């Protein structure tokens, strides 16, 4: 089968999945920690649990190129230090592309850190981190990756928090050639996740549980796909609000990391 035909089939499958009922039994495979993953409510709810010996993860059955992906997640409650809950897109191989949401747990009373990153051809190092303006453990909230040929937009409850614009013509890598699938996991990263690893997981609180529901995949070939969608004036105002009040790390501001000057994309408009 030719590469072009394979890609066409992947995009078509993405369209078909976008118009299907959100059901974890039909559309996802548990990829590791099988006994720590449970699908409930007729396929409408999936939970992952973490204990000291293992976490768990799952993956969308199909890949596609471009689209909008929504997932509702309720994060580990209480003392979640050392845990990482993820929701991301990834292709395969050492030169993979990836678009990340990672939720870094914290000790009780301290906020989660929402870590975002973009990889192209196996290279990332484009981290932005945020605190959230709500408690993500008491109710489900919607986390969205909107990926098209022009840009990647990260949204929380439909509020944009980050835009990564395609500047390949200026030499900035951008994921635009490799179809990706949805992945999620819950795992132990207490060597680095919470306050640089100073706060470890308290295994007396295990099992730690994260819950997922109401996923939606809108592939780029479907009629409602945001094939070139950017931010309107209201969206630009919202992202400025988020980044001024809740951003806690931006690689574009890390002059110690880039003593010779920040990457090219950091010098351009952030919200194109």
């Amino acid at each position: 089968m030719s590469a072009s035909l394979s890609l066409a089939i992947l995009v078509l499958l993405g369209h078909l999945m976008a118009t299907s009922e959100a059901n974890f039994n039909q559309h996802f495979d548990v990829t590791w920690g099988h006994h720590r993953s449970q699908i409930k409510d007729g396929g409408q709810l999936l939970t992952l649990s973490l204990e000291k010996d293992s976490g768990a993860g799952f993956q969308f059955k199909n890949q596609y190129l471009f689209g909008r992906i929504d997932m509702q997640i309720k994060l580990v409650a209480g003392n979640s230090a050392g845990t990482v809950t993820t929701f991301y897109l990834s292709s395969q191989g050492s030169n993979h592309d990836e678009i990340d949401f990672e939720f870094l747990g914290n000790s009780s009373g301290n906020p989660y850190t929402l870590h975002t990153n973009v990889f192209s051809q196996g290279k990332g190092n484009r981290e932005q981190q945020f605190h959230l303006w709500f408690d993500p453990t008491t109710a489900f909230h919607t986390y969205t990756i909107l990926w098209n040929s022009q840009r990647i937009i990260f949204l929380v409850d439909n509020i944009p928090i980050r835009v990564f614009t395609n500047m390949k013509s200026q030499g900035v890598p951008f994921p635009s050639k490799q179809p990706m699938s949805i992945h999620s996991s819950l795992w132990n990263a207490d060597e680095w996740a919470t306050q640089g690893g100073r706060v470890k997981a308290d295994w007396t609180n295990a099992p730690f549980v994260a819950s997922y529901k109401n996923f939606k995949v809108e592939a780029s070939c479907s009629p409602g796909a945001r094939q070139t969608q950017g931010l309107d004036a209201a969206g630009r105002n919202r992202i400025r609000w988020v980044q001024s009040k809740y951003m806690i790390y931006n690689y574009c501001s890390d002059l110690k990391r880039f003593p010779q000057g920040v990457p090219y994309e950091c010098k351009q408009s952030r919200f194109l």
Side-chain angles (χ1 to χ4, degrees), residues 7 18 24 31 34 42 89 113 148 156 199 202 204 207 216 246 261 263:
L7 180 58
F24 286 99
T31 51
H34 288 71
L89 301 181
T113 294
N148 59 44
V156 176
V199 181
D202 182 354
T204 65
K216 181 181 178 182
Y246 298 101

Side-chain angles (χ1 to χ4, degrees), residues 80-85 103-107 110-113 193-195:
S80 58
T83 70
V84 175
T85 306
F103 304 89
L104 313 184
N106 213 332
S107 52
N110 292 302
Y112 265 83
T113 294
T194 303
Q195 299 179 36

Side-chain angles (χ1 to χ4, degrees), residues 144-219:
T144 300
I145 296 169
L146 195 160
W147 171 41
N148 59 44
S149 62
Q150 302 299 311
R151 61 191 57 82
I152 298 162
I153 305 177
F154 297 77
L155 303 101
V156 176
D157 288 338
N158 215 35
I159 295 174
I161 65 169
R162 177 179 184 179
V163 175
F164 188 81
T165 302
N166 186 348
M167 299 183 187
K168 288 184 72 173
S169 61
Q170 288 80 46
V172 179
F174 184 87
S176 61
K177 299 296 186 182
Q178 301 187 66
M180 294 194 271
S181 59
I182 305 166
H183 300 254
S184 286
S185 60
L186 173 60
W187 54 288
N188 173 25
D190 69 359
E191 71 278 6
W192 64 269
T194 303
Q195 299 179 36
R198 292 186 296 273
V199 181
K200 304 296 185 181
D202 182 354
W203 296 108
T204 65
N205 293 318
F208 302 102
V209 178
S211 302
Y212 297 77
K213 71 174 185 178
N214 290 343
F215 74 88
K216 181 181 178 182
V217 178
E218 185 178 285

Side-chain angles (χ1 to χ4, degrees), residues 47 49 57 74 83 102 131 137 225 227 244 255 261:
T47 63
S49 65
K74 183 164 65 173
T83 70
E102 295 186 333
H131 286 157
T137 71
Q227 295 188 34
S244 65
L255 298 182

Side-chain angles (χ1 to χ4, degrees):
M1 182 182 295
S2 69
S4 59
L5 179 57
S6 297
L7 180 58
I9 292 172
L10 289 169
V11 173
L12 176 59
L13 285 172
H15 170 62
L16 294 174
M17 299 302 291
T19 60
S20 300
E21 181 183 0
N23 187 293
F24 286 99
N25 278 318
Q26 295 177 13
H27 303 324
F28 285 86
D29 290 321
V30 176
T31 51
W32 61 284
H34 288 71
H35 63 294
R36 303 202 186 284
S37 174
Q38 296 186 12
I39 298 177
K40 306 175 181 179
D41 299 339
Q44 301 305 302
L45 175 70
L46 187 150
T47 63
L48 299 178
S49 65
L50 167 65
E51 297 198 41
K52 193 170 185 178
D53 62 333
S54 177
F58 63 90
Q59 176 181 334
F60 200 58
K61 290 181 178 180
N62 294 294
Q63 297 177 312
Y64 57 94
L65 189 65
F66 304 136
R68 175 176 174 134
I69 306 92
D70 300 284
M71 184 76 76
Q72 291 191 345
I73 307 173
K74 183 164 65 173
L75 298 176
V76 174
N79 184 355
S80 58
T83 70
V84 175
T85 306
T86 70
F87 164 52
Y88 62 100
L89 301 181
S90 183
S91 62
Q92 304 296 316
S94 58
N95 293 322
H96 73 292
D97 294 341
E98 187 170 319
I99 305 169
D100 288 345
F101 274 116
E102 295 186 333
F103 304 89
L104 313 184
N106 213 332
S107 52
S108 297
N110 292 302
Y112 265 83
T113 294
L114 171 53
H115 177 97
T116 66
N117 204 352
V118 176
F119 289 75
S120 181
Q121 293 295 310
K123 296 180 180 180
N125 301 320
R126 297 184 176 91
E127 303 92 344
Q128 289 183 357
Q129 295 182 338
F130 305 83
H131 286 157
L132 295 166
W133 50 95
F134 53 83
D135 183 347
T137 71
T138 58
F140 284 90
H141 291 269
T142 303
Y143 303 93
T144 300
I145 296 169
L146 195 160
W147 171 41
N148 59 44
S149 62
Q150 302 299 311
R151 61 191 57 82
I152 298 162
I153 305 177
F154 297 77
L155 303 101
V156 176
D157 288 338
N158 215 35
I159 295 174
I161 65 169
R162 177 179 184 179
V163 175
F164 188 81
T165 302
N166 186 348
M167 299 183 187
K168 288 184 72 173
S169 61
Q170 288 80 46
V172 179
F174 184 87
S176 61
K177 299 296 186 182
Q178 301 187 66
M180 294 194 271
S181 59
I182 305 166
H183 300 254
S184 286
S185 60
L186 173 60
W187 54 288
N188 173 25
D190 69 359
E191 71 278 6
W192 64 269
T194 303
Q195 299 179 36
R198 292 186 296 273
V199 181
K200 304 296 185 181
D202 182 354
W203 296 108
T204 65
N205 293 318
F208 302 102
V209 178
S211 302
Y212 297 77
K213 71 174 185 178
N214 290 343
F215 74 88
K216 181 181 178 182
V217 178
E218 185 178 285
S220 60
C221 62
S222 62
R226 284 81 167 172
Q227 295 188 34
T228 59
Q229 180 179 340
L231 297 181
D232 58 13
R236 290 191 292 272
N237 286 335
R238 287 182 171 185
I239 198 171
R240 290 189 185 99
W241 171 75
V242 170
Q243 295 196 351
S244 65
K245 290 184 175 294
Y246 298 101
M247 179 182 282
I248 60 172
Y249 177 79
N250 183 0
Y251 76 107
C252 286
S253 302
D254 195 340
L255 298 182
K256 291 183 179 179
R257 184 176 174 186
F258 302 106
Q260 304 304 315
V262 297
Y264 176 85
E265 67 269 19
C266 298
K267 304 170 187 176
Q268 311 306 308
S269 175
R270 292 175 295 168
F271 313 134
L272 293 173

